[in-house]
Amino acid sequence: MYPEEMVNPMRAELSDAGFEDLYTAGSVENAINKEGTTLLIINSVCGCAARNARPGAKMSLEGAKRPDQTVAVFAGVDKDAVDKAREFMLPFPPSSPCMALFKDGELVHMLERHHIEGRPAELIAENLQNAYNEYC
């Protein structure tokens, strides 16, 4: 478990942009099962991938279409919430950071760590915006 003082600025980067922080398995289940579209991010302290994941996620919301709700859990901190989120992301293996778009509770688009790592925020945002154009 990472200390809160390390995680808080990284968590705030998304929550300040309107992402709802989820801390429990029940809150994850409720969010994903809502009607409409949900972008769920498994946030991470990993500098090599998360450094561009958070800005990419925020930039993705600047387009014409966007998910009905945006939520985040934090790997290494929100264990129960992350475990529940990963259940909904099967058959994809656990990775962090990662981003998943759900429509009416069904996983319709997934960005795993290897899709994020080494890519600029603009490409991450473009990938998500393409998914929003299709599903939102």
Side-chain angles (χ1 to χ4, degrees):
M1 299 293 275
Y2 297 107
E4 282 296 321
E5 57 272 5
M6 174 194 276
V7 170
N8 284 342
M10 293 175 233
R11 190 187 301 269
E13 193 173 345
L14 291 178
S15 59
D16 290 349
F19 283 77
E20 178 185 357
D21 293 311
L22 305 178
Y23 300 98
T24 66
S27 63
V28 169
E29 193 163 353
N30 289 338
I32 291 175
N33 286 323
K34 280 186 180 175
E35 188 176 319
T37 51
T38 301
L39 176 64
L40 183 142
I41 295 182
I42 295 184
N43 202 347
S44 173
V45 299
C46 172
C48 55
R51 173 183 74 235
N52 289 331
R54 290 183 293 271
K58 292 186 320 184
M59 289 170 56
S60 77
L61 301 176
E62 296 170 3
K65 291 192 175 183
R66 54 180 291 161
D68 297 314
Q69 67 173 342
T70 54
V71 298
V73 296
F74 211 107
V77 179
D78 309 323
K79 183 177 178 358
D80 293 339
V82 170
D83 288 348
K84 180 53 78 174
R86 288 181 171 153
E87 285 178 25
F88 282 99
M89 295 175 182
L90 290 172
F92 294 95
S95 69
S96 59
C98 67
M99 304 175 187
L101 182 65
F102 297 87
K103 183 170 186 170
D104 299 329
E106 178 185 341
L107 178 63
V108 294
H109 186 75
M110 183 76 180
L111 276 174
E112 297 175 84
R113 178 190 172 110
H114 68 88
H115 297 120
I116 297 168
E117 194 169 27
R119 291 181 176 70
E122 294 81 7
L123 282 180
I124 296 165
E126 181 181 335
N127 181 298
L128 289 171
Q129 286 173 333
N130 288 336
Y132 304 159
N133 288 336
E134 184 173 350
Y135 297 106
C136 296

